[in-house]
């Protein structure tokens, strides 16, 4: 009888990211991987979510509002956030009354008010119980690290709104640092640089696509591509030929901020854990870590091994999956 009910009611893991939301459903797998964007005709009248809504950015008339309910990794617009979570769960094809436990990844620096907003949004979507896990902890579990063991590991999770830096040991976070500088700030830095350097105006969506397709830091072969936008003086469409060298200059300040935060976190590290970090190095996770050459760029500066797993984008979501599958084992890393 218990097995029958456990199959009827669904447990869900959610990587609720500023840029993307990934949803895992027990016995179904990863069923949603969509941009954290929602489009309204009016509040309460959802026109589109995810990819479809993101494609509307900067292209709609006044009757349509396109927003990102999350800012810096947490829910900024409660009403839109609740509706977005509900919509993503609907995409997962789970009836509201069959929802059971939900595990959600949040930044380490989340405030009590922000935690409450996440929990209430999930409860409003139908969850019976909501558990939170810090994103670095979930990422470490997703990578396959024994977070409950005695060997410490250092995770740098670069998302859309935040970069979470944490050293994990014995199922807890020994030292951590959350900065609200990550993938979104990289996009903004590219927009500013292109305008100042080439007198060309581009949008956020264009900047993100350029970063994903051609972005590169550190050593590596230069890529040539066309930069398209509006001339800042004439307002007319214009395009120029550039190389990936522009990203090294455009992203320099953002990367320096992240690196300084890593160094600050290392400075707080207890001496007894230094050997573990030296042996294991730094593990990069999150969508922002996919910037080409970032691992080698960091390696040269911090003088430690730096690695990026193949599932960097899915690490947090994968961590929630493993938590749900081994709930009693990982219960100590959860909070409400």
């Amino acid at each position: 009888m218990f097995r029958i009910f456990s199959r009827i009611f669904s447990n869900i893991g959610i990587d609720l990211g500023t840029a993307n939301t990934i949803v895992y459903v027990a016995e179904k797998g990863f069923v949603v991987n969509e941009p954290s964007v929602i489009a309204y005709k009016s509040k309460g009248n959802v026109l589109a979510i995810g990819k479809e809504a993101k494609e509307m950015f900067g292209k709609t008339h006044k009757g349509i509002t396109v927003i990102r309910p999350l800012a810096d990794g947490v829910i900024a617009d409660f009403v839109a956030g609740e509706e977005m979570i509900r919509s993503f769960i609907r995409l997962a094809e789970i009836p509201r009354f069959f929802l059971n436990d939900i595990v959600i990844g949040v930044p380490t620096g989340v405030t009590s008010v922000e935690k409450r907003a996440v929990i209430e949004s999930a409860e409003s979507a139908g969850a019976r119980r909501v558990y939170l896990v810090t994103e670095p902890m979930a990422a470490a579990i997703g990578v396959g690290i024994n977070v409950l063991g005695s060997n410490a590991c250092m995770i740098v999770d670069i998302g859309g709104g935040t970069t979470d830096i944490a050293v994990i040991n014995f199922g807890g976070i020994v030292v951590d640092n959350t900065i609200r500088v990550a993938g979104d700030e990289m996009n903004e830095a590219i927009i500013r640089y292109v305008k100042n350097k080439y007198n060309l105006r581009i949008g956020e969506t264009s900047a993100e696509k350029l970063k994903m397709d051609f972005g590169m830091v550190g050593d590596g072969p230069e890529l040539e591509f066309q930069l398209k936008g509006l001339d800042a003086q004439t307002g007319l469409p214009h395009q120029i030929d550039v190389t990936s060298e522009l990203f090294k200059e455009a992203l320099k300040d953002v990367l320096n901020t992240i690196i300084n935060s890593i160094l600050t976190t290392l400075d707080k590290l207890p001496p007894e854990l230094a050997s573990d970090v030296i042996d294991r190095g730094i593990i990069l996770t999150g969508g922002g870590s996919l910037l080409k050459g970032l691992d080698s760029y960091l390696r040269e500066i911090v003088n430690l091994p730096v690695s990026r797993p193949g599932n960097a984008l899915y690490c947090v979501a994968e961590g929630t999956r493993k938590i749900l599958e081994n709930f009693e084992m990982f219960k100590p890393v959860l909070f409400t």
Side-chain angles (χ1 to χ4, degrees), residues 39-306:
Y40 288 107
K41 277 188 177 178
S42 60
K43 277 295 174 76
N45 186 3
V46 177
L47 182 63
I49 59 167
K51 294 184 182 75
E52 188 179 347
K54 187 176 181 180
E55 289 174 357
M56 296 181 180
F57 254 130
K59 300 177 182 179
T60 61
H61 53 76
K62 292 181 180 180
I64 298 175
T65 303
V66 184
I67 60 173
R68 295 170 66 178
L70 285 91
D72 302 326
V74 293
I75 296 174
D77 187 318
F78 180 80
V79 175
E82 178 184 322
E83 186 57 53
M84 188 181 72
I85 292 174
R86 187 184 293 115
S87 297
F88 282 147
I89 290 173
R90 197 178 299 125
L91 276 182
E93 298 181 346
I94 301 173
R96 177 188 174 91
F97 46 85
F98 284 158
L99 283 179
N100 196 26
D101 294 343
I102 294 185
V103 175
I104 303 176
V106 295
T108 54
V110 66
T111 67
S112 58
V113 174
E114 292 166 340
K115 281 191 287 188
R116 194 71 245 155
V118 173
I119 290 171
E120 288 181 2
S121 290
E123 287 176 342
S124 297
R128 285 172 173 76
R129 288 175 297 272
V130 182
Y131 300 93
L132 305 182
V133 60
T134 62
E135 288 170 348
M137 180 68 75
I141 294 170
V143 170
I145 292 170
N146 178 15
V147 298
L148 303 174
S150 60
N151 294 321
C153 68
M154 186 171 192
I155 299 287
V156 177
D157 184 61
I158 308 174
T162 61
T163 294
D164 275 317
I165 306 161
V167 176
I168 297 168
N169 197 28
F170 289 116
I173 294 178
V174 182
V175 292
D176 69 275
N177 193 359
T178 298
I179 58 171
R180 306 206 168 188
V181 175
D184 288 347
E185 282 66 29
M186 291 183 189
N187 297 340
E188 291 170 9
I190 292 168
I191 292 171
R192 286 194 302 270
Y193 182 82
V194 167
K195 183 179 179 182
N196 294 335
K197 176 77 173 179
Y198 303 107
N199 211 30
L200 204 64
R201 289 191 293 119
I202 62 173
E204 183 180 345
T205 302
S206 297
E208 183 177 27
K209 191 173 189 312
L210 288 172
K211 180 185 69 178
M212 293 172 64
D213 292 346
F214 306 106
M216 182 182 296
V217 294
D219 296 328
E222 287 189 9
L223 302 175
E224 295 184 358
F225 59 96
Q226 286 187 327
L227 195 57
K228 300 175 183 179
L230 295 176
D231 188 291
Q233 290 182 331
T234 66
L236 297 175
H238 186 57
Q239 68 180 36
I240 56 174
D241 294 323
V242 295
T243 70
S244 55
E245 186 70 23
L246 78 85
F247 296 101
K248 296 177 184 178
E249 287 297 319
L251 301 178
K252 185 165 55 177
D253 289 343
V254 173
L255 294 180
N256 282 343
T257 300
I258 294 173
I259 290 167
N260 288 336
S261 298
I262 292 173
L263 295 174
T264 299
T265 307
L266 287 169
D267 192 49
K268 297 176 183 177
L269 191 68
E272 290 79 6
L273 298 183
S275 62
D276 287 346
V277 174
I278 290 172
D279 290 341
R280 289 189 170 188
I282 296 170
I283 300 170
L284 297 178
T285 63
S289 72
L290 298 178
L291 182 66
K292 298 178 186 69
L294 182 59
D295 50 351
S296 59
Y297 183 82
L298 290 176
R299 195 178 301 125
E300 290 181 8
I301 295 174
V302 301
N303 198 29
L304 286 171
V306 178

Side-chain angles (χ1 to χ4, degrees), residues 26-44:
E27 298 188 10
K28 285 188 176 182
F30 296 106
V31 294
V32 174
N33 180 10
E34 296 277 345
S36 302
V37 183
I38 189 167
Y40 288 107
K41 277 188 177 178
S42 60
K43 277 295 174 76

